[in-house]
Amino acid sequence: MISENQPKAGHRDVPANTEFREFMASGWAADDRPPAPRAEVADHAARRRAALSQRFPGERLVIPGGGLRVRSNDTDYTFRPHTAFAHLSGLGSHAEPDSVLVLEPGPEGGHHAVLYFRPPAPRDSEEFYADSRYGEFWVGYRPTIADIESQLGLAVRHIDSLSVDLAKDDAAARLRVVRSADPKLAELVDTTRAQAGTSLTGEQQEEADEELAHVLSGMRIVKDAWEVGEMRKAIAATHKGFDAIITTLPEAVRKGRGERWVEGVFGLYARHEGNGTGYESICAAGDHANTIHWTKNTGEVREGDLILVDAGIEIDSLFTADITRTLPVSGRFTDVQRKIYDAVHAAQQAGMEAVKPGNKFSDIHAAANKVIARHLHEWGLLPEGVTLEQTLDPERGGWHRRWMVHGTSHHLGMDVHDCQLLLREDYMDGELKPGMVLTVEPGLYFKADDLLAPEEFRGIGVRIEDDVLVTEDGYENLSAAMPRGSYEVEEWIAQVSGPAEDR
């Protein structure tokens, strides 16, 4: 059992007599459905596994999908498989809880993949009608071993055989596991290694597991053509969600607690177009936009304010978009709002132009940061006597960061902050390469109680974020269809929702 245990309610039961069990087991039509067809992603997942195999010859690699987590009593959180498992197996939103992918070392080199999971119990078992977590009477049709084998083209076994298989032959002492994916399974691997007489100390075993996690994270940093196609799908779905937000802004104003209304509208599209949201949506109106990760979304949406929406749809393959638009609720920016917005837009454009093969990832932030600092210097916000060069000094400067405290970019893919386990030299100091997908998202934030900001700036927060593909000769803005210049945003609002006087 990999999933968390649910407490059992003593007041609930089903008849346990033989007559009832026999009655429940009878009268069901034979399941004559053919196995699931081979998935489009199967060949791509096989290539990923082959690349991983070359990194760890002769070692048994354990990549758990994870299990169910209890929300309260006998209800669970919605299951999402661990990203490394999804990437290597090809199973996204349809992955079963308690699944584990194992790469078995072959006698002549290489690995062969075995996927362990809990198949559905037959109709003559109590699980079918009495188990609210796994029984098909409760949770609906679940895939069979034949389905998974046909869909993914790899060997599939019952999860109950996992512990014995991990302990077999000499490879039991050469196990690596993705520890964070499932602590219980990590404990099983630790026990198995110890019983097999591993020569590694406990600290060395953890370092070996950590190395596996780093490698798996880094494998996702350059996307192939299929993965880029999935990113395009996620971004297109997210565009629809933003269109819906624009359409409903007048309703969000009228309803009260409008941030929740905006969040709910986007969530509707996320569930309809994909698996759900890729992260908790930020729907921040007015001064809430100056809280970088405002996910409470409990505030009002008022005419004349800006609303900053940072949201992305995760599609069934688990690739997610990550888009931010700052929208004038009334359809038009005020002069002060436009002044701040246009500064952020200029910084974002500078960051995008730094996206090219051969540049460092950190060059994106440096380019956008310079534009932000220049505007703040020109507006007289830096301390008296501080020059542009001084504030941009990486060691002794940084005054301008008061109004933009976050970084400008991160990698994007199956996780919204993808490849996060990479070391600094491979991430921040890493070289940009064709196939990388990343965000460019500068901002300016003037909190309502910021006495160092001009009074007319206070309460205004702006961020603009797009998803960018590194190409052979520069970049492609994958979310370019979503307007981002201030006048283009106003036209977008007018086109989607009609003129202000008609709303």
Side-chain angles (χ1 to χ4, degrees):
M1 177 70 73
I2 297 173
S3 293
E4 285 184 351
N5 291 324
Q6 290 181 345
K8 297 297 182 183
H11 62 278
R12 294 181 182 176
D13 56 23
V14 294
N17 59 76
T18 301
E19 292 79 10
F20 177 79
R21 289 199 300 268
E22 290 177 350
F23 180 69
M24 288 298 295
S26 65
W28 302 104
D31 185 358
D32 56 0
R33 288 171 294 187
R38 186 173 177 85
E40 180 186 9
V41 72
D43 292 337
H44 301 286
R47 285 196 294 273
R48 298 165 194 161
R49 295 192 296 269
L52 180 63
S53 173
Q54 295 178 7
R55 300 290 297 270
F56 299 100
E59 300 187 59
R60 180 171 288 143
L61 309 178
V62 183
I63 301 96
L68 296 166
R69 298 290 179 261
V70 175
R71 187 178 189 274
S72 66
N73 296 324
D74 58 349
T75 61
D76 296 316
Y77 287 102
T78 300
F79 175 70
R80 182 194 188 275
H82 190 276
T83 300
F85 173 87
H87 188 242
L88 292 174
S89 69
L91 289 172
S93 65
H94 303 299
E96 287 285 302
D98 305 327
S99 298
V100 182
L101 179 68
V102 177
L103 296 191
E104 288 282 353
E108 299 179 359
H111 291 75
H112 68 275
V114 183
L115 193 145
Y116 295 81
F117 88 114
R118 180 184 300 278
R123 294 291 172 95
D124 60 0
S125 71
E126 281 194 44
E127 178 182 295
F128 165 63
Y129 63 86
D131 191 321
S132 62
R133 248 188 173 180
Y134 299 102
E136 289 188 306
F137 208 105
W138 293 81
V139 301
Y141 172 76
R142 293 176 54 227
T144 64
I145 286 177
D147 284 327
I148 301 297
E149 288 182 334
S150 173
Q151 187 178 2
L152 301 181
L154 44 71
V156 180
R157 296 177 189 163
H158 197 293
I159 189 67
D160 289 350
S161 66
L162 176 64
S163 58
V164 172
D165 288 354
L166 290 183
K168 68 183 181 184
D169 61 47
D170 294 341
R174 300 190 304 278
L175 278 165
R176 293 186 194 242
V177 62
V178 181
R179 303 190 70 85
S180 63
D182 198 292
K184 289 184 181 179
L185 194 54
E187 291 178 9
L188 173 62
V189 168
D190 289 340
T191 301
T192 303
R193 286 189 288 212
Q195 293 174 343
T198 179
S199 61
L200 301 178
T201 66
E203 184 178 349
Q204 288 172 329
Q205 291 176 50
E206 289 194 11
E207 289 175 352
D209 294 340
E210 200 171 291
E211 182 187 8
L212 173 61
H214 286 314
V215 168
L216 291 171
S217 188
M219 284 179 64
R220 301 195 303 271
I221 199 165
V222 174
K223 276 67 176 175
D224 60 28
W226 184 85
E227 292 172 309
V228 172
E230 294 300 287
M231 288 300 309
R232 294 184 191 278
K233 292 176 187 176
I235 292 165
T238 300
H239 189 170
K240 292 181 181 178
F242 270 82
D243 281 348
I245 287 172
I246 291 172
T247 301
T248 199
L249 280 178
E251 192 73 1
V253 172
R254 286 194 293 267
K255 286 282 184 182
R257 213 184 190 199
E259 291 176 349
R260 281 286 169 92
W261 187 263
V262 170
E263 177 188 359
V265 168
F266 189 82
L268 167 65
Y269 277 76
R271 287 294 287 164
H272 186 259
E273 295 284 333
N275 185 46
T277 55
Y279 53 96
E280 292 295 312
S281 300
I282 298 169
C283 305
D287 191 46
H288 286 165
N290 295 309
T291 300
I292 309 302
H293 285 167
W294 175 259
T295 57
K296 294 179 180 179
N297 301 336
T298 53
E300 301 292 323
V301 175
R302 297 182 174 89
E303 292 286 352
D305 278 350
L306 300 178
I307 181 168
L308 186 159
V309 180
D310 185 335
I313 291 179
E314 175 185 85
I315 58 176
D316 287 333
S317 61
L318 303 188
F319 284 85
T320 184
D322 181 7
I323 308 291
T324 305
R325 289 294 182 266
T326 305
L327 306 168
V329 174
S330 303
R332 293 278 181 184
F333 293 96
T334 67
D335 291 344
V336 173
Q337 290 169 348
R338 193 185 306 276
K339 179 178 181 178
I340 296 170
Y341 187 98
D342 288 349
V344 174
H345 182 226
Q348 191 201 28
Q349 188 59 39
M352 285 189 178
E353 290 170 1
V355 178
K356 63 183 68 173
N359 274 6
K360 288 184 178 181
F361 177 87
S362 56
D363 290 337
I364 303 169
H365 179 68
N369 209 30
K370 188 173 182 178
V371 175
I372 291 291
R374 176 169 54 80
H375 278 87
L376 292 169
H377 182 260
E378 290 173 352
W379 295 339
L381 270 66
L382 303 184
E384 186 175 354
V386 172
T387 66
L388 181 60
E389 291 72 21
Q390 287 174 323
T391 194
L392 289 171
D393 186 314
E395 300 296 329
R396 304 182 65 181
W399 289 274
H400 61 285
R401 296 293 299 275
R402 176 186 176 98
W403 295 285
M404 193 185 111
V405 296
H406 60 76
T408 305
S409 189
H410 60 78
H411 286 278
L412 181 66
M414 296 182 83
D415 288 338
V416 64
H417 293 156
D418 213 13
C419 313
Q420 282 291 88
L421 296 184
L422 286 175
L423 301 176
R424 181 179 178 86
E425 57 263 31
D426 298 319
Y427 198 111
M428 296 302 297
D429 298 330
E431 181 180 315
L432 297 179
K433 298 178 181 178
M436 290 180 172
V437 177
L438 41 87
T439 66
V440 182
E441 49 174 315
L444 277 171
Y445 309 94
F446 300 98
K447 288 183 174 291
D449 59 353
D450 185 352
L451 300 182
L452 298 186
E455 188 173 353
E456 66 270 22
F457 284 14
R458 296 174 197 169
I460 297 176
V462 173
R463 182 164 66 252
I464 312 169
E465 177 182 20
D466 285 87
D467 302 341
V468 174
L469 170 69
V470 184
T471 63
E472 294 291 340
D473 56 359
Y475 73 92
E476 178 189 351
N477 182 3
L478 298 177
S479 47
M482 299 175 65
R484 59 192 179 96
S486 61
Y487 291 103
E488 288 76 16
V489 166
E490 290 174 339
E491 291 175 6
W492 182 23
I493 293 173
Q495 289 171 359
V496 171
S497 59
E501 58 269 19
D502 295 338
R503 287 186 274 140

